[in-house]
Amino acid sequence: MSDTETNENFTVLENKAIGRNISRFRKFRDKKAFEVAEYVGIGEAAYTKYERGETKITIELIQKVSEFLNIDPFTLLNVSEGHVLENITNSPIAIQTNSTFSTTNEKQNDAILTLIDNVVEMNKRIMDLLEKTGRTGN
């Protein structure tokens, strides 16, 4: 059985695929499992079972984890391997790789994470300015 399987009119999501997504985004955000577990209100051992797909993942868990990691809950359900950067930055530009994002140079990792944080912060500031000037399009 694949990670995502179609059954006539709906898609069945498997815990392992969602757990891998949660783990990838947690690591990308440079958070420890115990930090997420504490925010969710469970023990670290129980939380890591979710990441490994050993425990049935609930909507409530997805909501809490997405709040902590500051990402859209649907992203945890839909992301496929190799598209983590695109989804975490909500970029319209597809960043595709054949494996998860990694480098062997810690300085490069730090620089990339800083750049992403700066872009996200800049987007927030732009949205604030647009809201103040009444140009949000809403």
Side-chain angles (χ1 to χ4, degrees):
M1 182 186 280
S2 66
D3 287 342
T4 305
E5 178 182 296
T6 302
N7 185 352
E8 293 189 31
N9 296 324
F10 63 93
T11 300
V12 177
L13 299 172
E14 291 191 12
N15 286 331
K16 286 187 180 187
I18 298 169
R20 278 194 302 268
N21 288 341
I22 292 171
S23 176
R24 284 185 188 119
F25 279 104
R26 175 183 58 77
K27 290 174 184 174
F28 190 79
R29 291 285 197 211
D30 198 28
K31 300 294 181 187
K32 303 292 183 202
F34 76 87
E35 293 174 298
V36 182
E38 185 176 273
Y39 182 84
V40 171
I42 59 177
E44 182 179 1
Y47 171 77
T48 56
K49 286 183 179 181
Y50 286 113
E51 283 194 357
R52 292 191 305 265
E54 296 172 3
T55 302
K56 185 175 180 180
I57 296 174
T58 65
I59 297 298
E60 291 80 16
L61 178 82
I62 294 292
Q63 184 63 42
K64 286 292 227 179
V65 170
S66 66
E67 286 172 8
F68 182 77
L69 298 177
N70 195 29
I71 59 172
D72 187 296
F74 290 112
T75 302
L76 293 177
L77 300 173
N78 294 320
V79 149
S80 60
E81 187 171 334
H83 294 89
V84 172
L85 285 178
E86 173 187 351
N87 285 285
I88 203 147
T89 62
N90 295 318
S91 170
I93 301 168
I95 300 172
Q96 298 181 359
T97 62
N98 292 329
S99 63
T100 57
F101 175 77
S102 65
T103 68
T104 56
N105 184 330
E106 282 301 314
K107 287 182 181 181
Q108 185 178 12
N109 285 345
D110 291 341
I112 290 170
L113 290 173
T114 300
L115 176 63
I116 290 170
D117 286 341
N118 288 338
V119 169
V120 170
E121 186 60 35
M122 181 179 64
N123 285 337
K124 288 178 185 176
R125 289 179 183 166
I126 290 171
M127 289 304 297
D128 289 343
L129 286 172
L130 290 173
E131 286 176 8
K132 287 178 183 176
T133 61
R135 297 183 183 178
T136 60
N138 291 333

